[in-house]
């Protein structure tokens, strides 16, 4: 680029510095978000993969059936590096008087297992000479302040046995302490995990090994091997078969990773699209305003290629200035996010690396967006005909009535000031369309972030308030009769108690399998409500099984289709009575009367759902109930809600950052549209001043016109924002979580008011410039 054009470029940048700063800011934010989210995604992926490899996280886990026969078959299968038998049992724990449901997992007493090894954080590994020693998983250990030498009780089905903590550990199976895929959210007061010598766990479970954990060669996934081993396991009566990806804890973490990956693409694209649009609007208007100058340049020997490069520079400068620091900020922010995340979840291995490709890609991403935005107006500038450009353009139109005046005749009787503002909206369609697009993009950015926060809050309220009406779940020391459940209502403070029976089950239909839990509830249960996807709130049907809506696609089934349920060693076929919409987990439900009819016996209860009287002290009531001899563990539903709120802090923080960035982007976008809107009307304003119009009146005309344009864009923006938010949330849904968009009506109202406020505030610099307009100077420039 020749020197005069360089001087012109930088002079224009200085003259329109507010607009260039706004575009640079939007580029910076978009590139920062890309670098931060994508590097965080890569760091977390590397951390999980390294943890899985270092601790030989099982590639495939099989539970139930003839596990010994399966272990023998798996051990000789090419591609299986290790296949180990172990015992896992869910039994009650008691720690300092607190009863909770726990899981005991068997390990070799003399050395680490070949599959699913653990990291000893404090104390020592198990000792064969000390069979009552246990290793406590770190989340439970931290919550109850358990250290080497501490004691805790475990229930073996008959008596409470005292065990001694020999160490605390981290396990790849319980980075996120999920009980199973249907109970992803737990609290340390409700669920904990210990590891003990295999023989000790067999004694606690009163059974032999019931699981096989297999590790593939080098820990690499092998779909053909998985399909073969799964078929073998099913043929041997396995009730639960899952890969590493499907394992409850890992699946929850993978959902988070998927969220990071989605955000690493979705949000930056939105931000850079908005930034590109802002750059396009500004450069297009600049080219339009400088047509006479372009004509002079071309007439005086500058080539069209030089003009093209010159106007591409208007995109290159904010792109470069915004992208380089944005990429650096993104890399640094990713390190902070990664460390916060791994510390929150206590991931055994934290990998924080520098990824040059992300840094370079982020810069290229930003530059590409800005250059593409500048390309169209730059091409227009390079194709200008010199003679026509230097003659200038005659104003188009003849002062026609506005569209609103033509559609609504009474509007024609409005005062002249109002009609002037209305006609200004339609007099320059190009200017109106650009501003509307800015408003639409701004609302889209705000609603996607705000909509996520509203939706998560609604999800938790729906699960823990509307669906789960119980205040707590009580687990019995042994299968209980109806009388034991009735005894709970005799406790002061308990308003209602309903029997519940939870059975691991495998669903099969059309050659597809899904492992879940069958929850047998009291007929007409009032403490667990079911929301049918077709009929709203329903009672459990007298026949058939009710399934979570995710099974509809997973098993390719519809209402009325037969489905096979394998429970223990028994399989039976039931029709699908309904699909229910639940935010957390995908369960199967059956009425107690139907389950007893199929089994031919009166079924016991493994637990009871209870509701409190109003005003009762939950902590005191928990202590009273857990002192009952038939009660083995107590699960506080409100505590689960609270812990979910705590774990959502990181999500809220991240989305809050997105909302803040979105707000800044919205301001920059609308500011750019509004300020250029005012700047390109300098001659028009000067003419009005010359005929005696008051500057304040002119400011009011322009403000009214801009607010009208914003009002046109707001309903479009609300619709686009709604569907953009729905698309973003839909990408997170699975059988673990069901994310349906819910936006509070007040959110639409506040977003609308925010956009109007931004539109008003962003006009201030332009309106101040009107006060400084010099009529002689404008006349001189016009005659030049």
């Amino acid at each position: 680029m020749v020197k005069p054009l360089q001087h012109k470029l930088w002079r224009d940048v200085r003259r329109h510095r507010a607009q260039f700063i706004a575009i640079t800011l939007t580029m910076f934010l978009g590139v920062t978000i890309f670098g931060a989210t994508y590097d965080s995604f890569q760091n977390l992926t590397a951390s999980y993969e390294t943890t899985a490899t270092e601790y030989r996280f099982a590639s495939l886990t099989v539970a139930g059936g003839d596990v010994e026969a399966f272990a023998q078959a798996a051990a000789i299968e090419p591609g299986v590096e290790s296949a180990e038998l172990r015992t896992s049992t869910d039994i009650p724990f008691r720690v300092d008087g607190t009863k909770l449901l726990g899981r005991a997992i068997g390990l070799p007493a003399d050395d680490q297992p070949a599959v699913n090894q653990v990291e000893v954080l404090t104390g020592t590994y198990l000792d064969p000479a000390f069979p009552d020693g246990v290793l406590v998983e770190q989340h439970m250990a931290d919550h109850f302040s358990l250290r080497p030498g501490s004691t805790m009780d475990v229930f073996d089905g008959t008596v409470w046995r005292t065990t001694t903590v020999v160490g605390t550990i981290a396990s790849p199976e319980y980075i996120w302490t999920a009980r199973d895929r249907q109970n992803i959210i737990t609290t340390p007061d409700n669920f904990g995990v210990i590891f003990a010598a295999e023989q000790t766990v067999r004694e606690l479970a009163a059974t032999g090994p019931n699981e096989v954990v297999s590790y593939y060669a080098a820990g690499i996934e092998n779909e053909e091997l998985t399909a073969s081993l799964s078929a073998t396991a099913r043929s041997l009566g396995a009730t639960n078969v899952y890969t590493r990806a499907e394992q409850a804890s890992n699946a929850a973490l993978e959902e988070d990773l998927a969220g990071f990956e989605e955000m690493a693409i979705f949000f930056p694209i939105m931000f850079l699209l908005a930034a590109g649009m802002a750059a396009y609007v500004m450069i297009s208007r600049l080219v339009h305003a400088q047509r006479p100058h372009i004509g002079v340049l071309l007439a005086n020997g500058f080539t069209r290629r030089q003009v093209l490069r010159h106007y591409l520079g208007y995109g290159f400068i904010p792109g470069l200035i915004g992208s380089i620091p944005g990429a650096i900020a993104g890399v640094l922010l990713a390190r902070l996010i990664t460390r916060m995340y791994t510390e929150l979840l206590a991931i055994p291995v934290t990998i924080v690396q520098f990824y040059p490709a992300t840094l370079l890609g982020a810069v290229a991403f930003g530059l590409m967006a800005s250059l593409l935005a500048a390309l169209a107006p730059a091409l227009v500038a390079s194709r200008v005909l010199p003679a026509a450009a230097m003659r200038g353009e005659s104003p188009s139109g003849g002062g026609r009535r506005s569209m609103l005046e033509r559609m609504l005749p009474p509007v024609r009787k409005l005062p002249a000031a109002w009609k002037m503002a209305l006609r200004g909206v339609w007099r320059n369609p190009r200017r109106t369309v650009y501003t509307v697009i800015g408003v639409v993009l701004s609302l889209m950015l705000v609603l996607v972030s705000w909509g996520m926060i509203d939706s998560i809050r609604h999800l938790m309220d729906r699960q823990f308030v509307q669906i789960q009406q119980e205040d707590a779940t009580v687990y019995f020391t042994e299968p209980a009769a109806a009388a034991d459940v009735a005894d709970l209502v005799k406790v002061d403070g308990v308003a209602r108690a309903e029997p519940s029976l939870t059975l691991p089950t495998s669903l099969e239909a059309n050659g597809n399998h899904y492992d879940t839990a069958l929850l047998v509830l009291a007929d007409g249960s009032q403490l667990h409500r079911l929301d049918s996807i077709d009929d709203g709130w329903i009672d459990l049907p007298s026949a058939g099984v009710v399934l979570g809506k995710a099974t509809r696609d997973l098993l390719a089934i519809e209402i009325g289709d037969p489905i096979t349920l394998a429970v223990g060693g028994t399989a039976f076929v039931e029709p699908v009575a309904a699909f229910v919409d639940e935010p957390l987990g995908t369960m199967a439900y059956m009425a107690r009367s139907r389950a007893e009819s199929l089994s031919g016996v009166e079924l016991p209860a493994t637990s009871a759902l209870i509701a409190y009287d109003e005003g009762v002290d939950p902590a005191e009531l928990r202590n009273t109930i857990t002192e009952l001899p038939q009660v083995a563990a107590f699960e506080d539903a409100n505590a689960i809600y609270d812990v979910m709120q705590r774990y959502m802090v990181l999500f809220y923080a991240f989305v809050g950052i997105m909302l803040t960035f979105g707000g800044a982007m919205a301001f920059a976008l609308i500011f750019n549209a509004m300020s250029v809107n005012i700047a390109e009307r300098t001659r028009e304003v000067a003419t009005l001043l010359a005929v005696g119009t008051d500057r304040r009146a002119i400011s009011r005309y322009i403000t009214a016109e801009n607010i009208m344009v914003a009002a046109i864009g707001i309903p479009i923006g609300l619709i686009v924002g709604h569907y953009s938010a729905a698309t973003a949330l839909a990408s997170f849904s699975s059988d673990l979580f069901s994310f349906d968009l819910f936006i509070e009506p007040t959110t639409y109202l506040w977003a609308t008011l925010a956009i109007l406020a931004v539109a008003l505030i962003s006009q201030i610099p332009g309106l101040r410039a009107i006060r400084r307009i010099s009529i002689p100077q404008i006349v001189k420039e016009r005659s030049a």
Side-chain angles (χ1 to χ4, degrees):
M1 189 181 290
V2 294
K3 206 166 186 179
L5 289 182
Q6 290 178 345
H7 287 315
K8 176 182 178 299
L9 173 62
W10 289 107
R11 185 174 64 248
D12 286 342
V13 169
R14 288 193 297 271
R15 180 179 298 174
H16 301 282
R17 57 183 174 274
Q19 289 84 4
F20 275 97
I21 289 172
I23 294 172
T24 301
L25 174 64
T26 55
M27 290 292 175
F28 171 83
L29 294 175
V31 171
T32 297
I33 291 171
F34 172 75
T37 52
Y38 199 74
D39 263 13
S40 296
F41 165 71
Q42 293 186 100
N43 284 333
L44 291 171
T45 300
S47 298
Y48 293 152
E49 290 177 350
T50 303
T51 297
T53 303
E54 284 194 13
Y55 297 97
R56 300 176 63 83
F57 190 6
S59 305
L60 183 72
T61 301
V62 171
D66 191 345
V67 291
E68 293 185 0
F70 176 76
Q72 292 174 5
I76 61 174
E77 189 79 26
V80 175
E81 194 171 301
S82 302
E84 283 199 344
L85 285 161
R86 73 176 189 180
T87 305
S88 175
T89 182
D90 287 357
I91 56 176
F93 294 167
R94 186 170 61 195
V95 185
D96 294 332
T98 298
K99 289 182 179 179
L100 65 148
L101 187 65
R103 178 167 299 158
I105 299 173
L107 295 178
D110 54 352
D111 199 3
Q112 287 270 11
V115 186
N116 287 345
Q117 295 178 352
V118 298
E119 179 188 10
V120 178
L121 303 174
T122 63
T124 63
Y125 188 72
L126 299 173
D127 185 346
F130 190 33
D132 287 333
V134 297
L135 299 170
V136 182
E137 195 276 326
Q138 60 182 332
H139 295 91
M140 178 179 171
D142 290 343
H143 180 73
F144 289 107
S145 299
L146 294 173
R147 297 292 179 264
S150 301
T151 60
M152 59 175 288
D153 299 327
V154 296
F155 190 75
D156 66 4
T158 304
V159 297
W160 290 95
R161 291 176 51 172
T162 300
T163 62
T164 302
V165 177
V166 297
T168 63
I169 59 95
S171 164
E173 294 181 90
Y174 296 100
I175 294 174
W176 178 275
T177 315
R179 187 190 307 168
D180 51 47
R181 289 179 68 87
Q182 315 316 322
N183 294 277
I184 291 293
I185 310 298
T186 62
T187 73
D189 270 333
N190 295 340
F191 180 72
V193 180
I194 64 169
F195 295 80
E198 173 65 19
Q199 185 57 41
T200 300
V201 178
R202 292 183 188 182
E203 293 172 4
L204 293 172
T207 185
N210 55 11
E211 286 188 353
V212 179
V213 286
S214 305
Y215 185 77
Y216 296 167
I220 298 173
E221 291 184 11
N222 187 326
E223 291 185 6
E224 290 184 7
L225 180 58
T226 295
S228 173
L229 289 175
S230 297
T232 301
R234 299 284 183 192
S235 68
L236 292 170
T239 57
N240 203 356
V241 180
Y242 53 88
T243 63
R244 179 190 297 167
E246 294 167 337
Q247 193 266 348
S249 171
N250 195 54
L253 296 175
E254 288 294 334
E255 288 287 334
D256 256 8
L257 274 185
F260 266 107
E261 189 174 24
E262 293 283 347
M263 289 182 178
I265 303 299
F266 186 79
F267 276 104
I269 285 178
M270 282 204 309
F271 275 66
L272 291 178
L273 176 65
M277 180 57 66
Y280 171 76
V281 168
M282 189 201 69
I283 299 169
S284 293
R285 290 178 170 183
L286 199 62
V287 169
H288 182 76
Q290 293 185 357
R291 279 177 59 85
H293 303 161
I294 297 169
V296 171
L297 291 172
L298 292 171
N300 282 279
F302 286 90
T303 67
R304 297 187 181 279
R305 183 172 295 179
Q306 288 172 330
V307 171
L308 176 67
R309 288 201 302 267
H310 171 66
Y311 283 97
L312 281 175
Y314 291 100
F316 179 79
I317 288 175
L320 185 67
I321 296 175
S323 296
I324 291 178
I328 295 171
V331 169
L332 297 176
L333 186 58
R335 292 171 176 263
L336 177 63
I337 292 173
T338 302
R339 294 195 184 280
M340 285 175 58
Y341 192 92
T342 55
E343 286 176 10
L344 178 68
L345 296 182
I347 297 172
V349 179
T350 299
I351 303 294
V352 178
Q353 294 180 335
F354 171 64
Y355 302 93
T358 302
L359 186 68
L360 296 175
V363 174
F365 200 12
L367 281 175
M368 186 184 301
S370 59
L371 287 174
L372 285 175
L375 181 60
L379 285 171
V380 170
S382 69
R383 293 169 183 170
V384 163
L385 297 175
M390 288 187 291
R391 279 197 303 270
E393 293 185 354
S394 300
S396 61
R400 295 180 301 169
R401 289 171 176 167
S402 68
M403 183 182 297
L404 198 61
E405 289 177 87
R406 294 196 297 273
M407 293 174 60
L408 300 173
V411 174
R412 300 172 193 170
K413 298 179 181 180
L414 289 174
W418 284 94
K419 287 191 287 186
M420 185 176 179
L422 281 172
R423 293 181 183 183
V425 171
W426 306 109
R427 185 159 46 89
N428 192 324
R430 174 182 56 84
R431 182 168 64 209
T432 299
V433 168
Y434 287 160
T435 306
V436 167
I437 290 173
V439 171
V440 169
L441 289 174
S442 300
L443 271 170
M444 181 180 73
L445 290 168
V446 171
L447 280 181
V448 166
S449 301
W450 212 331
M452 282 188 172
I453 293 176
D454 278 356
S455 296
I456 293 298
R457 287 176 176 168
H458 178 69
L459 177 153
M460 290 192 291
D461 177 76
R462 181 171 169 74
Q463 181 69 41
F464 296 108
V465 178
Q466 298 179 36
I467 293 175
Q468 294 181 209
Q469 298 281 302
E470 75 273 19
D471 291 302
T473 302
V474 173
Y475 295 90
F476 299 112
T477 55
E478 57 185 6
D484 295 311
V485 177
D487 284 344
L488 293 172
V489 184
K490 298 176 183 177
V491 176
D492 288 341
V494 175
R496 185 178 180 83
E498 295 179 355
S500 173
L501 176 63
T502 304
L503 301 168
T505 187
S506 180
L507 308 177
E508 190 275 327
N510 303 313
N512 303 308
H513 290 85
Y514 183 72
D515 297 324
T516 182
L518 174 64
L519 191 57
V520 179
L521 297 173
D523 293 40
S525 171
Q526 296 181 25
L527 297 185
H528 191 103
R529 303 173 71 200
L530 301 173
D531 185 11
S532 166
I533 61 174
D534 297 315
D535 303 317
W537 299 106
I538 62 171
D539 289 329
L540 279 168
S542 57
V545 63
V546 175
L547 302 175
K549 68 177 182 179
T551 58
R552 190 176 190 174
D553 294 328
L554 292 170
L555 301 177
I557 54 177
E558 294 293 341
I559 293 175
D561 289 351
I563 185 169
T564 301
L565 293 88
V567 181
T570 304
F572 57 93
V573 178
E574 275 288 280
V576 177
F579 293 105
V580 289
D581 182 7
E582 295 186 329
L584 300 180
T586 300
M587 304 278 282
Y589 298 94
M590 186 176 288
R592 175 166 287 270
S593 59
R594 180 57 178 169
E596 290 179 341
S597 174
L598 291 170
S599 65
V601 297
E602 184 177 346
L603 294 175
T606 54
S607 60
L609 309 179
I610 64 173
Y612 301 160
D613 287 325
E614 280 191 39
V616 71
D617 182 351
E620 185 177 333
L621 185 56
R622 174 174 185 149
N623 292 334
T624 302
I625 292 175
T626 53
E627 287 176 1
L628 297 174
Q630 71 269 31
V631 173
F634 185 98
E635 183 176 83
D636 187 340
N638 296 320
I640 296 176
Y641 180 84
D642 292 341
V643 80
M644 189 169 179
Q645 288 277 32
R646 289 199 298 273
Y647 278 120
M648 292 308 298
V649 167
L650 190 60
F651 175 84
Y652 287 143
F654 186 82
V655 176
I657 292 172
M658 296 299 105
L659 183 57
T660 302
F661 280 13
M665 179 78 77
F667 180 83
L669 201 59
I670 296 178
F671 168 77
N672 189 52
M674 295 293 183
S675 56
V676 173
N677 221 3
I678 296 171
E680 71 176 7
R681 302 172 69 172
T682 304
R683 293 182 182 179
E684 179 184 331
V685 171
T687 302
L688 289 172
L689 290 173
V691 297
T693 308
D694 182 66
R695 291 179 190 263
R696 291 183 179 179
I698 294 172
S699 295
R700 288 195 296 270
Y701 299 154
I702 293 175
T703 298
E705 179 184 328
N706 285 336
I707 294 303
M708 287 180 189
V709 174
I712 293 171
I714 284 172
I716 302 171
L718 292 175
I719 294 171
V720 172
H722 176 92
Y723 284 103
S724 298
T727 301
L729 275 176
S731 63
F732 297 114
S733 293
S734 69
D735 65 312
L736 300 180
F737 303 99
S738 177
F739 287 97
D740 295 322
L741 179 66
F742 177 85
I743 300 181
E744 294 282 356
T746 52
T747 296
Y748 294 110
L749 175 62
W750 286 115
T752 298
L753 293 176
I755 293 300
L756 290 174
V758 168
L760 286 170
I761 295 171
S762 62
Q763 293 185 113
I764 293 175
L767 295 177
R768 284 180 176 173
I770 289 177
R771 301 175 189 171
R772 298 192 296 269
I773 287 178
S774 169
I775 297 176
Q777 182 179 349
I778 297 299
V779 172
K780 182 179 178 181
E781 289 178 357
R782 192 169 184 175
S783 61

